[in-house]
């Protein structure tokens, strides 16, 4: 039962992020980061991309959207947490010491369901999870299972993730972080 519950939660999380069928996940609703029209930065990095994505969300919503959550792969978060200045000091010591990962008011979540080169940020109050039927676990035997000492386990539930059309700009995805970093680099003089 515990194993099935754990697998259920992981599968639901995967659907809520990545699904484009049955229930639509965040990546289905998210708009793409427009790095071509973003302000440019000298020597940009992941943190610059996060700032620009946050600015895009705020501008597109005319202050209606307040980005509060972002997720990316563990390695990308670790890269940010381990960033040091020229003297070897951590730039963000609370991250280096295992504190909450927060960037400019946006909580950063490590999630391996995001690929290594991807970031998703948004005002998650605009994404509504509607749970029709929570997890239901059924066990039964059919056919010759009883005589063979076998049982069938079935887990199911029903839910939808909804982001209204007008609120889609509240969630922005960066599908290729390397391209986004290159796309916001200021031309050298």
């Amino acid at each position: 039962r515990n194993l099935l519950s754990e697998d259920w939660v992981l599968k639901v999380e995967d659907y809520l992020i990545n699904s484009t069928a049955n229930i639509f996940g965040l990546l289905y609703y998210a708009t793409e980061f427009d790095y071509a029209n973003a302000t440019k930065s000298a020597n940009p990095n992941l943190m610059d991309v996060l700032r620009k994505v946050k600015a895009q969300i705020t501008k597109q919503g005319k202050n209606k959207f307040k980005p509060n959550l972002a997720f990316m792969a563990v390695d990308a978060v670790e890269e940010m947490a381990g960033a040091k200045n020229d003297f070897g000091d951590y730039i963000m010591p609370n991250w280096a010491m295992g504190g909450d990962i927060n960037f400019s008011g946006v909580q950063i979540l490590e999630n391996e369901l995001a690929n290594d080169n991807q970031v998703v940020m948004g005002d998650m109050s605009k994404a509504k999870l509607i749970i029709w039927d929570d997890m239901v676990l059924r066990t039964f035997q059919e056919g010759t299972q009883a005589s063979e000492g076998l049982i069938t386990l079935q887990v199911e539930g029903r839910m939808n993730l909804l982001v209204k059309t007008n609120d889609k700009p509240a969630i922005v995805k960066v599908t290729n972080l390397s391209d986004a970093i290159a796309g916001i680099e200021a031309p050298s003089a």
Side-chain angles (χ1 to χ4, degrees), residues 27-125:
L27 290 175
Y28 171 82
Y29 290 112
T31 59
E32 187 67 44
F33 173 50
D34 185 9
Y35 55 81
N37 290 316
T39 58
K40 306 304 179 199
S41 295
N43 301 316
N45 60 26
L46 174 58
M47 289 182 268
D48 292 309
V49 171
L50 292 177
R51 288 184 314 108
K52 310 290 183 198
V53 168
K54 183 179 179 191
Q56 176 177 317
I57 293 168
T58 303
K59 286 178 184 179
Q60 286 186 344
K62 309 250 186 274
N63 291 332
K64 173 183 172 185
F65 307 136
K66 304 292 182 209
N68 61 346
L69 190 66
F71 61 87
M72 61 188 83
V74 173
D75 288 342
V77 175
E78 287 300 310
E79 180 183 326
M80 289 176 65
K84 297 179 181 181
N85 63 20
D86 291 339
F87 302 105
D89 301 320
Y90 286 106
I91 294 172
M92 299 183 179
N94 65 320
W95 287 10
M97 301 304 290
D100 287 340
I101 302 170
N102 203 308
F103 180 81
S104 189
V106 177
Q107 183 180 5
I108 308 293
L109 299 177
E110 300 171 323
N111 194 314
E112 279 303 302
L113 294 172
N115 71 42
D116 291 339
N117 210 16
Q118 176 186 70
V119 175
V120 177
M121 180 188 292
D123 179 347
M124 296 305 167
S125 72

